[in-house]
Amino acid sequence: MVRLYGLLFLAEVVLGICALISCLSAEEGEIRALPRIAWVLIILIFPLVGSIAWFVAGRESGPGRARTAWPMGNGFSERDRGRRQVAPDDDPAFLSSLGERSRQQDQELFRRWEDDLRRREEELRRREDGSPREQDRPEV
């Protein structure tokens, strides 16, 4: 008999905790008949009766109410999804701009290397031709 009372007490506590969590996590539009604080007090003061009353009369039930533990989707409404910001590594425009910027930097570096190579080749040709460089000429 003691085991039966223990099991019933455990079921009452679990039901009360589930009702309290359900009440606290319900949206304002899903709560019926009383304000949230009244439902919380009823569930805490009368755990068995308050829990059953919450599940029967307190929360909104019907065909429009989804019976899932977590909301579907990623938390954004359909109209907000177009306006939300995308992380840079998920944005194709940002990734393509990185590629374009990298190509421009590579082209600029290549152009500077070519200019430096031309300048050095010109210096070598002048030395081989025997024409003195401007630094080697005596000052007058």
Side-chain angles (χ1 to χ4, degrees):
M1 198 67 160
V2 174
R3 290 182 189 165
L4 181 64
Y5 288 139
L7 188 60
L8 290 175
F9 176 74
L10 184 63
E12 180 181 344
V13 169
V14 169
L15 182 65
I17 289 172
C18 289
L20 192 60
I21 290 172
S22 175
C23 179
L24 292 174
S25 64
E27 297 289 330
E28 286 297 324
E30 296 176 350
I31 300 174
R32 294 189 306 177
L34 296 172
R36 182 188 319 260
I37 188 70
W39 280 114
V40 169
L41 290 175
I42 290 171
I43 293 169
L44 289 175
I45 294 172
F46 308 106
L48 183 61
V49 176
S51 301
I52 294 171
W54 164 253
F55 286 120
V56 171
R59 78 179 175 171
E60 184 74 33
S61 61
R65 185 176 188 275
R67 299 255 179 207
T68 59
W70 299 100
M72 301 300 283
N74 58 359
F76 294 99
S77 67
E78 288 296 324
R79 62 187 169 92
D80 290 341
R81 287 185 188 182
R83 293 185 294 197
R84 73 180 178 122
Q85 293 181 352
V86 178
D89 57 346
D90 291 338
D91 187 9
F94 176 74
L95 294 175
S96 65
S97 72
L98 283 180
E100 181 63 31
R101 190 179 336 165
S102 176
R103 279 191 294 278
Q104 289 174 352
Q105 289 172 346
D106 289 346
Q107 288 174 352
E108 176 65 25
L109 183 62
F110 186 66
R111 187 190 59 77
R112 282 189 280 158
W113 283 347
E114 284 180 330
D115 291 345
D116 187 47
L117 182 62
R118 282 190 197 107
R119 183 183 53 79
R120 290 180 184 201
E121 286 177 347
E122 288 294 322
E123 287 178 7
L124 283 175
R125 282 193 199 115
R126 276 189 252 141
R127 285 188 202 160
E128 290 175 358
D129 290 344
S131 60
R133 293 186 302 185
E134 291 187 19
Q135 294 101 351
D136 295 341
R137 293 185 184 166
E139 291 186 23
V140 180

